[in-house]
Coordinates of all heavy atoms in Angstrom, one line a residue:
M1 N -23.7 20.7 4.9 CA -23.0 19.6 5.4 C -23.9 18.3 5.2 O -25.1 18.4 5.5 CB -22.7 19.8 6.9 CG -22.1 18.6 7.6 SD -21.8 19.0 9.3 CE -22.9 17.7 10.1
Q2 N -23.2 17.2 4.8 CA -24.0 16.0 4.7 C -23.6 15.0 5.7 O -22.3 14.8 6.0 CB -23.7 15.3 3.3 CG -24.2 16.2 2.1 CD -25.7 16.5 2.2 OE1 -26.4 15.5 2.6 NE2 -26.2 17.6 1.8
T3 N -24.5 14.3 6.3 CA -24.1 13.3 7.4 C -24.4 11.9 6.8 O -25.4 11.7 6.2 CB -24.9 13.6 8.6 OG1 -26.2 13.6 8.4 CG2 -24.4 14.8 9.3
C4 N -23.6 11.0 7.3 CA -23.8 9.6 7.0 C -25.0 9.0 7.7 O -25.2 9.4 8.9 CB -22.5 8.8 7.4 SG -22.7 7.0 7.5
L5 N -25.8 8.2 7.1 CA -27.0 7.7 7.7 C -26.7 6.6 8.7 O -27.6 6.2 9.4 CB -27.9 7.2 6.6 CG -28.4 8.2 5.5 CD1 -29.1 7.5 4.4 CD2 -29.2 9.2 6.2
V6 N -25.6 6.1 8.7 CA -25.2 5.0 9.7 C -24.6 5.6 10.9 O -25.1 5.3 12.1 CB -24.2 4.0 9.0 CG1 -23.9 2.9 10.0 CG2 -24.9 3.4 7.8
C7 N -23.6 6.4 10.8 CA -22.9 6.8 12.0 C -23.2 8.3 12.4 O -22.8 8.8 13.4 CB -21.3 6.7 11.8 SG -20.7 7.8 10.4
N8 N -24.0 8.9 11.5 CA -24.3 10.4 11.7 C -23.2 11.3 11.8 O -23.3 12.5 12.3 CB -25.2 10.5 13.0 CG -26.6 10.0 12.8 OD1 -27.2 10.2 11.8 ND2 -27.1 9.2 13.8
D9 N -22.0 10.9 11.3 CA -20.9 11.8 11.2 C -20.9 12.5 9.8 O -21.5 12.0 8.9 CB -19.6 11.0 11.4 CG -19.1 10.9 12.8 OD1 -19.8 11.6 13.6 OD2 -18.3 10.1 13.1
E10 N -20.3 13.7 9.8 CA -20.2 14.4 8.5 C -19.4 13.5 7.5 O -18.4 12.8 7.9 CB -19.4 15.6 8.8 CG -19.4 16.6 7.5 CD -18.7 17.9 7.8 OE1 -18.2 18.1 9.0 OE2 -18.5 18.6 6.9
I11 N -19.8 13.6 6.2 CA -19.1 12.8 5.2 C -18.0 13.6 4.7 O -18.2 14.6 4.0 CB -20.1 12.4 4.0 CG1 -21.2 11.4 4.5 CG2 -19.3 11.8 2.9 CD1 -22.3 11.1 3.5
T12 N -16.7 13.3 5.1 CA -15.6 14.1 4.8 C -14.8 13.6 3.7 O -13.9 14.3 3.1 CB -14.7 14.3 6.1 OG1 -14.4 13.0 6.5 CG2 -15.4 15.1 7.1
N13 N -15.0 12.3 3.4 CA -14.2 11.7 2.3 C -15.2 11.1 1.3 O -15.5 9.8 1.4 CB -13.3 10.6 2.9 CG -12.4 10.0 1.9 OD1 -12.1 10.6 0.8 ND2 -11.9 8.7 2.1
P14 N -15.8 11.9 0.4 CA -17.0 11.5 -0.3 C -16.6 10.5 -1.4 O -16.5 10.9 -2.6 CB -17.6 12.8 -0.8 CG -16.6 13.8 -0.8 CD -15.5 13.3 0.2
I15 N -16.6 9.3 -1.1 CA -16.5 8.2 -2.2 C -17.6 7.3 -2.0 O -17.8 6.8 -0.9 CB -15.1 7.5 -2.1 CG1 -14.0 8.5 -2.4 CG2 -15.0 6.4 -3.1 CD1 -12.5 7.9 -2.3
C16 N -18.4 7.0 -3.1 CA -19.5 6.1 -2.9 C -19.1 4.7 -2.8 O -17.9 4.3 -3.1 CB -20.4 6.3 -4.1 SG -19.9 5.6 -5.6
I17 N -20.0 3.9 -2.3 CA -19.7 2.4 -2.0 C -19.5 1.7 -3.3 O -18.8 0.7 -3.3 CB -20.7 1.8 -1.0 CG1 -22.1 1.8 -1.6 CG2 -20.5 2.3 0.4 CD1 -23.0 1.0 -0.7
N18 N -20.1 2.2 -4.4 CA -19.8 1.5 -5.7 C -18.3 1.6 -6.1 O -17.7 0.6 -6.5 CB -20.6 2.1 -6.8 CG -22.1 1.8 -6.6 OD1 -22.5 0.7 -6.5 ND2 -22.9 2.8 -6.7
C19 N -17.8 2.8 -5.9 CA -16.4 3.0 -6.3 C -15.5 2.3 -5.3 O -14.5 1.7 -5.7 CB -16.0 4.6 -6.2 SG -16.8 5.5 -7.7
L20 N -15.9 2.4 -4.0 CA -15.1 1.6 -3.0 C -15.1 0.1 -3.3 O -14.0 -0.6 -3.2 CB -15.7 1.9 -1.6 CG -15.3 3.2 -0.9 CD1 -16.0 3.2 0.4 CD2 -13.8 3.3 -0.7
E21 N -16.2 -0.4 -3.6 CA -16.3 -1.8 -3.9 C -15.4 -2.3 -4.9 O -14.6 -3.2 -4.9 CB -17.7 -2.2 -4.3 CG -18.0 -3.7 -4.4 CD -19.3 -4.0 -5.2 OE1 -19.7 -3.3 -6.0 OE2 -19.8 -5.1 -4.9
Q22 N -15.3 -1.4 -6.1 CA -14.4 -1.8 -7.2 C -12.9 -1.8 -6.7 O -12.2 -2.7 -7.0 CB -14.5 -0.7 -8.3 CG -15.7 -0.9 -9.2 CD -15.9 0.2 -10.1 OE1 -14.9 0.9 -10.5 NE2 -17.1 0.4 -10.5
E23 N -12.5 -0.8 -5.9 CA -11.1 -0.8 -5.3 C -10.9 -1.9 -4.5 O -9.8 -2.6 -4.4 CB -10.9 0.5 -4.6 CG -10.7 1.7 -5.6 CD -10.4 2.9 -4.8 OE1 -9.7 2.8 -3.7 OE2 -10.7 4.0 -5.3
L24 N -11.9 -2.2 -3.5 CA -11.7 -3.3 -2.6 C -11.6 -4.7 -3.3 O -10.7 -5.5 -2.9 CB -13.0 -3.4 -1.6 CG -13.0 -2.2 -0.7 CD1 -14.4 -2.1 0.0 CD2 -12.0 -2.4 0.4
I25 N -12.4 -4.9 -4.3 CA -12.3 -6.2 -5.0 C -11.0 -6.4 -5.7 O -10.4 -7.4 -5.7 CB -13.5 -6.3 -6.0 CG1 -14.8 -6.6 -5.1 CG2 -13.3 -7.4 -7.0 CD1 -16.1 -6.6 -5.8
Y26 N -10.6 -5.3 -6.3 CA -9.2 -5.3 -6.9 C -8.2 -5.7 -5.9 O -7.2 -6.5 -6.2 CB -8.9 -3.9 -7.5 CG -7.8 -3.7 -8.4 CD1 -7.9 -4.3 -9.7 CD2 -6.6 -3.1 -8.1 CE1 -6.9 -4.1 -10.6 CE2 -5.6 -2.9 -8.9 CZ -5.7 -3.5 -10.2 OH -4.7 -3.4 -11.1
W27 N -8.3 -5.1 -4.7 CA -7.3 -5.4 -3.7 C -7.4 -6.9 -3.1 O -6.4 -7.5 -2.9 CB -7.5 -4.3 -2.5 CG -6.5 -4.2 -1.5 CD1 -5.3 -3.5 -1.5 CD2 -6.4 -4.9 -0.2 NE1 -4.6 -3.7 -0.4 CE2 -5.2 -4.5 0.4 CE3 -7.3 -5.9 0.4 CZ2 -4.9 -5.0 1.7 CZ3 -6.9 -6.3 1.7 CH2 -5.7 -5.9 2.3
F28 N -8.6 -7.2 -2.9 CA -8.9 -8.6 -2.3 C -8.6 -9.7 -3.2 O -8.2 -10.8 -2.8 CB -10.3 -8.7 -1.7 CG -10.3 -8.1 -0.3 CD1 -10.8 -6.8 -0.1 CD2 -10.0 -8.8 0.8 CE1 -10.9 -6.3 1.1 CE2 -10.0 -8.3 2.0 CZ -10.5 -7.0 2.2
V29 N -8.6 -9.4 -4.5 CA -8.3 -10.5 -5.5 C -6.8 -10.9 -5.3 O -6.5 -12.0 -5.4 CB -8.7 -10.1 -7.0 CG1 -7.9 -10.9 -8.0 CG2 -10.1 -10.1 -7.2
D30 N -6.1 -9.9 -5.0 CA -4.6 -10.1 -4.8 C -4.4 -10.7 -3.4 O -3.4 -11.6 -3.3 CB -3.8 -8.8 -4.8 CG -3.6 -8.4 -6.2 OD1 -3.7 -9.2 -7.1 OD2 -3.2 -7.2 -6.4
Y31 N -5.1 -10.3 -2.3 CA -4.7 -10.6 -1.0 C -5.6 -11.7 -0.4 O -5.0 -12.5 0.4 CB -4.7 -9.4 -0.1 CG -3.6 -8.5 -0.4 CD1 -3.8 -7.3 -1.1 CD2 -2.3 -8.8 0.0 CE1 -2.8 -6.4 -1.5 CE2 -1.2 -7.9 -0.3 CZ -1.5 -6.7 -1.0 OH -0.5 -5.9 -1.3
D32 N -6.8 -11.8 -0.7 CA -7.7 -12.8 -0.1 C -8.9 -13.0 -0.9 O -10.0 -12.5 -0.6 CB -8.1 -12.4 1.4 CG -8.6 -13.6 2.2 OD1 -8.9 -14.7 1.5 OD2 -8.8 -13.5 3.4
P33 N -8.8 -13.7 -2.0 CA -9.9 -13.7 -3.0 C -11.2 -14.4 -2.4 O -12.3 -14.2 -2.9 CB -9.4 -14.6 -4.1 CG -7.9 -14.6 -4.0 CD -7.6 -14.4 -2.5
K34 N -11.1 -15.1 -1.3 CA -12.2 -15.7 -0.7 C -13.2 -14.7 -0.2 O -14.4 -15.0 -0.1 CB -11.8 -16.6 0.5 CG -11.0 -17.8 0.2 CD -10.9 -18.7 1.4 CE -10.1 -18.1 2.6 NZ -8.7 -17.6 2.3
L35 N -12.7 -13.5 0.1 CA -13.6 -12.5 0.7 C -14.4 -11.7 -0.3 O -15.2 -10.9 0.0 CB -12.8 -11.6 1.6 CG -12.3 -12.3 2.9 CD1 -11.5 -11.3 3.7 CD2 -13.5 -12.7 3.8
V36 N -14.0 -11.8 -1.6 CA -14.6 -11.0 -2.7 C -16.1 -11.1 -2.7 O -16.9 -10.2 -2.7 CB -14.0 -11.4 -4.1 CG1 -14.8 -10.7 -5.2 CG2 -12.6 -10.8 -4.1
S37 N -16.6 -12.4 -2.6 CA -18.1 -12.6 -2.6 C -18.7 -12.0 -1.4 O -19.8 -11.5 -1.5 CB -18.4 -14.0 -2.8 OG -17.9 -14.8 -1.7
R38 N -18.1 -12.1 -0.3 CA -18.7 -11.5 1.0 C -18.7 -10.0 0.9 O -19.6 -9.4 1.5 CB -17.8 -11.9 2.2 CG -17.8 -13.5 2.3 CD -17.4 -14.0 3.6 NE -18.2 -13.5 4.6 CZ -17.8 -13.6 5.9 NH1 -16.7 -14.3 6.2 NH2 -18.5 -13.1 6.9
I39 N -17.7 -9.4 0.2 CA -17.7 -7.9 0.1 C -18.9 -7.5 -0.8 O -19.6 -6.5 -0.6 CB -16.4 -7.4 -0.5 CG1 -15.3 -7.5 0.5 CG2 -16.5 -5.9 -1.0 CD1 -13.9 -7.4 0.0
R40 N -19.2 -8.3 -1.9 CA -20.4 -8.1 -2.7 C -21.7 -8.1 -1.9 O -22.5 -7.2 -2.2 CB -20.4 -9.0 -3.9 CG -19.3 -8.8 -4.9 CD -19.5 -9.6 -6.2 NE -18.3 -9.8 -6.9 CZ -17.9 -8.9 -7.8 NH1 -18.5 -7.9 -8.1 NH2 -16.8 -9.2 -8.6
V41 N -21.8 -9.1 -1.1 CA -23.0 -9.2 -0.3 C -23.1 -8.0 0.7 O -24.2 -7.4 0.8 CB -22.9 -10.6 0.6 CG1 -24.0 -10.6 1.6 CG2 -23.0 -11.7 -0.5
L42 N -22.0 -7.7 1.3 CA -22.0 -6.6 2.3 C -22.4 -5.3 1.5 O -23.2 -4.5 2.0 CB -20.6 -6.4 2.8 CG -20.4 -5.4 4.0 CD1 -21.2 -5.9 5.2 CD2 -19.0 -5.3 4.3
K43 N -21.9 -5.1 0.4 CA -22.2 -3.9 -0.4 C -23.7 -3.8 -0.8 O -24.3 -2.7 -0.6 CB -21.3 -3.8 -1.6 CG -21.2 -2.5 -2.4 CD -22.2 -2.6 -3.6 CE -22.4 -1.2 -4.3 NZ -23.4 -1.3 -5.3
R44 N -24.3 -4.9 -1.1 CA -25.7 -4.9 -1.4 C -26.5 -4.6 -0.2 O -27.5 -3.9 -0.3 CB -26.1 -6.3 -2.0 CG -25.9 -6.4 -3.5 CD -26.7 -7.5 -4.0 NE -26.4 -8.9 -3.6 CZ -25.4 -9.6 -4.1 NH1 -24.7 -9.1 -5.1 NH2 -25.1 -10.7 -3.6
A45 N -26.1 -5.0 1.0 CA -26.7 -4.6 2.2 C -26.7 -3.1 2.4 O -27.7 -2.5 2.8 CB -26.2 -5.4 3.4
F46 N -25.6 -2.5 2.2 CA -25.4 -1.1 2.4 C -26.2 -0.3 1.3 O -26.6 0.8 1.5 CB -23.9 -0.7 2.2 CG -23.2 -0.7 3.6 CD1 -22.7 -1.9 4.0 CD2 -23.1 0.4 4.3 CE1 -22.1 -2.0 5.3 CE2 -22.5 0.4 5.6 CZ -22.0 -0.8 6.0
D47 N -26.5 -0.9 0.2 CA -27.3 -0.3 -0.9 C -28.7 0.1 -0.4 O -29.4 1.0 -1.0 CB -27.5 -1.2 -2.2 CG -26.3 -1.2 -3.1 OD1 -25.5 -0.1 -3.0 OD2 -26.1 -2.1 -3.8
M48 N -29.2 -0.5 0.7 CA -30.5 -0.3 1.2 C -30.7 1.1 1.9 O -31.8 1.5 1.9 CB -30.9 -1.4 2.1 CG -31.7 -2.4 1.4 SD -31.3 -4.1 1.3 CE -30.9 -4.6 2.9
Y49 N -29.6 1.7 2.2 CA -29.7 2.9 2.8 C -30.0 4.0 1.8 O -29.5 3.9 0.6 CB -28.4 3.4 3.5 CG -28.1 2.5 4.8 CD1 -27.2 1.5 4.7 CD2 -28.7 2.8 5.9 CE1 -26.9 0.7 5.8 CE2 -28.5 2.0 7.1 CZ -27.6 1.0 7.0 OH -27.3 0.3 8.1
E50 N -30.8 5.0 2.1 CA -31.1 6.1 1.2 C -29.9 7.0 0.9 O -29.1 7.2 1.7 CB -32.2 6.9 1.8 CG -33.6 6.4 1.5 CD -34.7 7.4 2.2 OE1 -34.7 8.5 1.8 OE2 -35.4 6.8 3.0
D51 N -30.0 7.6 -0.3 CA -28.9 8.5 -0.7 C -29.0 9.8 0.1 O -30.0 10.3 0.5 CB -29.0 8.8 -2.2 CG -28.6 7.6 -3.0 OD1 -28.0 6.7 -2.5 OD2 -28.9 7.7 -4.2
T52 N -27.8 10.4 0.3 CA -27.7 11.7 0.8 C -27.6 12.7 -0.4 O -27.6 12.3 -1.5 CB -26.5 12.0 1.8 OG1 -25.3 11.9 1.0 CG2 -26.5 10.9 2.9
E53 N -27.4 14.0 -0.1 CA -27.1 15.0 -1.2 C -25.6 15.0 -1.6 O -25.2 15.7 -2.5 CB -27.5 16.4 -0.8 CG -29.0 16.5 -0.4 CD -29.9 16.3 -1.6 OE1 -29.6 17.0 -2.6 OE2 -30.8 15.5 -1.6
A54 N -24.8 14.4 -0.9 CA -23.4 14.4 -1.1 C -23.1 13.6 -2.4 O -23.7 12.5 -2.6 CB -22.6 13.7 0.1
N55 N -22.1 14.0 -3.2 CA -21.7 13.4 -4.4 C -20.3 12.8 -4.3 O -19.4 13.4 -3.7 CB -21.7 14.4 -5.6 CG -23.2 14.9 -5.8 OD1 -23.5 16.0 -5.4 ND2 -23.9 14.0 -6.5
C56 N -20.2 11.7 -4.9 CA -18.9 10.9 -4.9 C -17.9 11.8 -5.7 O -18.2 12.2 -6.9 CB -19.1 9.6 -5.6 SG -17.6 8.6 -5.9
I57 N -16.7 11.9 -5.2 CA -15.6 12.7 -5.9 C -15.1 11.9 -7.2 O -14.4 12.5 -8.0 CB -14.4 13.0 -5.0 CG1 -13.8 11.8 -4.3 CG2 -14.9 14.2 -4.0 CD1 -12.6 12.1 -3.6
K58 N -15.4 10.6 -7.2 CA -14.9 9.8 -8.4 C -15.9 9.7 -9.5 O -15.6 10.0 -10.7 CB -14.4 8.4 -7.9 CG -13.2 8.5 -7.0 CD -12.7 7.1 -6.7 CE -11.7 6.7 -7.8 NZ -11.2 5.3 -7.4
C59 N -17.1 9.3 -9.2 CA -18.1 9.0 -10.2 C -19.2 10.1 -10.2 O -20.0 10.1 -11.3 CB -18.7 7.6 -10.1 SG -19.8 7.4 -8.7
G60 N -19.4 10.9 -9.2 CA -20.4 11.9 -9.2 C -21.8 11.5 -8.7 O -22.7 12.3 -8.6
N61 N -22.0 10.2 -8.5 CA -23.2 9.6 -8.0 C -23.4 10.0 -6.5 O -22.5 10.4 -5.8 CB -23.3 8.1 -8.1 CG -23.5 7.7 -9.5 OD1 -24.1 8.4 -10.3 ND2 -23.0 6.5 -9.8
N62 N -24.7 10.0 -6.1 CA -25.0 10.4 -4.7 C -24.5 9.2 -3.8 O -24.4 8.1 -4.1 CB -26.6 10.4 -4.5 CG -27.0 11.8 -5.1 OD1 -27.5 11.8 -6.2 ND2 -27.0 12.8 -4.3
I63 N -24.1 9.7 -2.6 CA -23.5 8.9 -1.6 C -24.6 8.5 -0.5 O -25.4 9.4 -0.2 CB -22.3 9.5 -0.9 CG1 -21.2 9.6 -2.0 CG2 -21.9 8.8 0.3 CD1 -20.0 10.4 -1.5
N64 N -24.6 7.3 0.0 CA -25.6 7.1 1.0 C -24.8 6.9 2.4 O -25.2 7.7 3.3 CB -26.5 5.9 0.7 CG -25.8 4.6 0.4 OD1 -24.6 4.5 0.4 ND2 -26.5 3.6 0.2
V65 N -23.9 6.1 2.5 CA -23.1 6.0 3.8 C -21.7 6.4 3.5 O -21.2 6.3 2.4 CB -23.2 4.5 4.3 CG1 -24.6 4.1 4.6 CG2 -22.5 3.5 3.4
C66 N -21.0 6.8 4.7 CA -19.7 7.2 4.5 C -18.7 6.1 4.3 O -19.0 4.9 4.7 CB -19.3 8.1 5.7 SG -18.9 7.1 7.2
S67 N -17.6 6.4 3.7 CA -16.6 5.3 3.4 C -16.1 4.6 4.7 O -15.9 3.4 4.7 CB -15.5 5.8 2.6 OG -14.8 6.9 3.2
H68 N -16.0 5.4 5.7 CA -15.5 4.8 7.0 C -16.5 3.7 7.5 O -16.0 2.6 7.9 CB -15.4 5.9 8.0 CG -14.9 5.4 9.3 ND1 -13.6 5.0 9.5 CD2 -15.5 5.3 10.5 CE1 -13.4 4.6 10.7 NE2 -14.6 4.8 11.4
C69 N -17.8 3.9 7.4 CA -18.7 2.8 7.9 C -18.6 1.6 7.1 O -18.5 0.5 7.6 CB -20.1 3.3 7.8 SG -20.5 4.5 9.1
F70 N -18.5 1.7 5.7 CA -18.4 0.6 4.8 C -17.1 -0.1 5.0 O -17.0 -1.4 5.2 CB -18.5 1.1 3.4 CG -18.6 0.0 2.4 CD1 -19.5 -1.1 2.5 CD2 -17.7 -0.1 1.3 CE1 -19.5 -2.1 1.5 CE2 -17.7 -1.1 0.4 CZ -18.6 -2.1 0.5
L71 N -16.0 0.7 5.1 CA -14.7 0.0 5.2 C -14.5 -0.7 6.6 O -13.8 -1.7 6.7 CB -13.5 1.1 5.1 CG -13.4 1.7 3.7 CD1 -12.4 2.9 3.7 CD2 -12.9 0.6 2.8
T72 N -15.2 -0.1 7.6 CA -15.1 -0.8 9.0 C -15.8 -2.2 8.9 O -15.2 -3.2 9.4 CB -15.7 0.1 10.0 OG1 -15.1 1.3 10.0 CG2 -15.7 -0.6 11.4
E73 N -16.9 -2.3 8.2 CA -17.6 -3.5 8.1 C -16.7 -4.5 7.2 O -16.7 -5.7 7.5 CB -18.9 -3.4 7.4 CG -20.0 -2.7 8.3 CD -20.3 -3.4 9.6 OE1 -20.4 -4.7 9.4 OE2 -20.3 -2.9 10.7
V74 N -16.1 -4.0 6.2 CA -15.3 -4.9 5.4 C -14.1 -5.4 6.2 O -13.8 -6.6 6.1 CB -14.7 -4.1 4.1 CG1 -13.7 -4.9 3.4 CG2 -15.9 -3.8 3.2
M75 N -13.5 -4.5 7.0 CA -12.4 -4.9 7.8 C -12.8 -6.0 8.8 O -12.0 -6.9 9.1 CB -11.8 -3.7 8.6 CG -10.5 -4.0 9.2 SD -9.7 -2.4 9.8 CE -10.8 -2.1 11.2
N76 N -14.1 -6.0 9.3 CA -14.5 -7.0 10.2 C -14.6 -8.4 9.5 O -14.7 -9.4 10.2 CB -15.8 -6.6 10.7 CG -15.7 -5.5 11.8 OD1 -14.7 -5.2 12.3 ND2 -16.9 -4.8 12.0
L77 N -14.6 -8.4 8.2 CA -14.6 -9.7 7.5 C -13.3 -10.4 7.5 O -13.1 -11.6 7.4 CB -15.0 -9.5 6.1 CG -16.4 -9.0 5.7 CD1 -16.5 -8.8 4.3 CD2 -17.5 -9.9 6.2
I78 N -12.2 -9.6 7.8 CA -10.9 -10.1 7.7 C -10.5 -10.7 9.0 O -10.6 -10.1 10.1 CB -9.8 -9.0 7.4 CG1 -10.2 -8.3 6.1 CG2 -8.4 -9.5 7.3 CD1 -9.4 -7.0 5.7
K79 N -10.1 -12.0 8.9 CA -9.7 -12.7 10.2 C -8.2 -12.6 10.5 O -7.8 -12.7 11.6 CB -10.2 -14.2 10.1 CG -11.7 -14.3 10.0 CD -12.4 -14.0 11.3 CE -13.9 -14.0 11.2 NZ -14.4 -12.6 11.1
D80 N -7.4 -12.6 9.4 CA -6.0 -12.6 9.5 C -5.5 -11.2 10.0 O -5.7 -10.2 9.4 CB -5.4 -12.9 8.2 CG -3.9 -13.1 8.3 OD1 -3.2 -12.1 8.3 OD2 -3.4 -14.2 8.3
E81 N -4.8 -11.2 11.1 CA -4.3 -9.9 11.8 C -3.4 -9.1 10.8 O -3.4 -7.9 10.7 CB -3.7 -10.1 13.1 CG -4.8 -10.5 14.2 CD -5.9 -9.4 14.3 OE1 -5.6 -8.2 14.3 OE2 -7.0 -9.8 14.6
N82 N -2.5 -9.9 10.1 CA -1.5 -9.2 9.2 C -2.2 -8.5 8.1 O -1.9 -7.4 7.7 CB -0.5 -10.2 8.8 CG 0.4 -10.7 9.9 OD1 0.7 -9.9 10.8 ND2 0.8 -11.9 9.7
L83 N -3.2 -9.3 7.6 CA -3.9 -8.7 6.5 C -4.8 -7.5 6.9 O -4.9 -6.5 6.2 CB -4.8 -9.8 5.8 CG -5.5 -9.5 4.5 CD1 -4.4 -9.2 3.5 CD2 -6.4 -10.6 4.0
K84 N -5.3 -7.6 8.1 CA -6.1 -6.5 8.7 C -5.3 -5.3 8.7 O -5.7 -4.2 8.4 CB -6.6 -7.0 10.0 CG -7.9 -6.3 10.4 CD -8.4 -6.9 11.8 CE -9.7 -7.5 11.5 NZ -10.5 -7.8 12.8
S85 N -4.1 -5.3 9.3 CA -3.3 -4.1 9.4 C -2.9 -3.6 8.0 O -2.7 -2.4 7.8 CB -2.0 -4.4 10.3 OG -1.3 -5.4 9.9
L86 N -2.7 -4.5 7.1 CA -2.3 -4.1 5.7 C -3.5 -3.4 5.1 O -3.4 -2.3 4.5 CB -2.0 -5.3 4.8 CG -1.5 -5.0 3.5 CD1 -0.1 -4.2 3.5 CD2 -1.3 -6.3 2.7
F87 N -4.7 -3.9 5.4 CA -5.9 -3.3 4.9 C -6.1 -1.9 5.5 O -6.4 -0.9 4.8 CB -7.2 -4.1 5.3 CG -8.5 -3.6 4.9 CD1 -9.0 -3.8 3.7 CD2 -9.3 -2.8 5.8 CE1 -10.2 -3.2 3.3 CE2 -10.4 -2.2 5.4 CZ -10.9 -2.5 4.2
K88 N -5.9 -1.8 6.8 CA -5.9 -0.4 7.4 C -4.9 0.5 6.8 O -5.3 1.7 6.5 CB -5.5 -0.5 8.9 CG -6.7 -0.8 9.8 CD -6.3 -0.7 11.3 CE -7.0 -1.7 12.1 NZ -6.4 -1.9 13.4
K89 N -3.7 0.1 6.5 CA -2.8 1.0 5.9 C -3.2 1.4 4.5 O -3.0 2.6 4.0 CB -1.4 0.3 5.8 CG -0.6 0.5 7.0 CD 0.9 0.0 6.7 CE 1.4 -0.7 8.0 NZ 1.9 -2.0 7.8
S90 N -3.8 0.4 3.8 CA -4.3 0.8 2.3 C -5.5 1.6 2.3 O -5.6 2.5 1.4 CB -4.5 -0.5 1.6 OG -3.4 -1.4 1.7
F91 N -6.4 1.4 3.2 CA -7.8 2.1 3.0 C -8.2 3.1 4.1 O -8.9 3.9 3.9 CB -8.9 1.0 2.9 CG -8.8 0.3 1.6 CD1 -8.2 -1.0 1.5 CD2 -9.3 0.8 0.4 CE1 -8.1 -1.7 0.3 CE2 -9.2 0.1 -0.7 CZ -8.7 -1.1 -0.8
I92 N -7.7 2.8 5.3 CA -8.1 3.6 6.4 C -6.9 4.4 6.9 O -6.1 3.9 7.6 CB -8.8 2.8 7.5 CG1 -10.0 1.9 6.9 CG2 -9.3 3.6 8.7 CD1 -10.6 1.0 7.9
S93 N -7.0 5.7 6.6 CA -5.8 6.5 6.9 C -5.9 7.3 8.2 O -5.3 8.4 8.3 CB -5.5 7.4 5.7 OG -6.7 8.1 5.4
F94 N -6.6 6.8 9.1 CA -6.7 7.5 10.4 C -6.9 6.5 11.6 O -7.1 5.3 11.3 CB -7.9 8.5 10.5 CG -9.2 8.0 10.0 CD1 -10.1 7.4 10.9 CD2 -9.5 8.0 8.6 CE1 -11.3 6.9 10.5 CE2 -10.7 7.5 8.3 CZ -11.6 7.0 9.1
Ligands
ZN1 ZN1 -20.7 6.6 8.6
ZN2 ZN1 -18.5 6.7 -6.9

């Protein structure tokens, strides 16, 4: 079992933040392009955490933090409530 270095929960949805960043930027270009540069900054901050042994199901690289921790921080960047709930529906399925 691999645990996330931020929340100490088990990594159950192993997608690395590189792959997530690509999907997020694709999404935000459509919905709120102003936030794209802030997502890039946030992702670089998350890069500082050490890798775990878990591998990304998309690209195979090692994962450092779980997708939930990263997506929660991204969601905090969104100020518009409608966009926030749309974001939840698109990326956070719990
Ligand atoms: Zn986490
Ligand atoms: Zn990946």
Side-chain angles (χ1 to χ4, degrees):
M1 174 182 119
Q2 296 300 325
T3 53
C4 168
L5 299 170
V6 177
C7 63
N8 287 315
D9 274 347
E10 189 180 353
I11 296 175
T12 52
N13 184 22
I15 297 180
C16 73
I17 57 174
N18 290 309
C19 290
L20 279 176
E21 183 193 33
Q22 281 171 26
E23 284 184 33
L24 288 165
I25 285 171
Y26 195 71
W27 193 87
F28 276 96
V29 164
D30 280 345
Y31 290 102
D32 194 350
K34 292 189 301 298
L35 290 178
V36 167
S37 62
R38 300 196 55 192
I39 290 165
R40 289 188 199 277
V41 170
L42 187 68
K43 192 264 176 185
R44 275 201 295 275
F46 272 85
D47 277 340
M48 258 120 52
Y49 292 102
E50 273 178 60
D51 286 346
T52 69
E53 299 293 309
N55 294 102
C56 172
I57 53 170
K58 293 185 87 176
C59 70
N61 286 331
N62 286 93
I63 290 174
N64 56 357
V65 299
C66 72
S67 54
H68 182 65
C69 285
F70 185 56
L71 291 172
T72 303
E73 289 298 318
V74 171
M75 193 170 71
N76 289 338
L77 297 175
I78 303 172
K79 297 290 174 256
D80 183 282
E81 287 303 321
N82 292 330
L83 191 61
K84 208 176 241 193
S85 56
L86 188 63
F87 178 85
K88 270 190 215 165
K89 273 191 217 124
S90 305
F91 289 98
I92 301 176
S93 47
F94 49 92

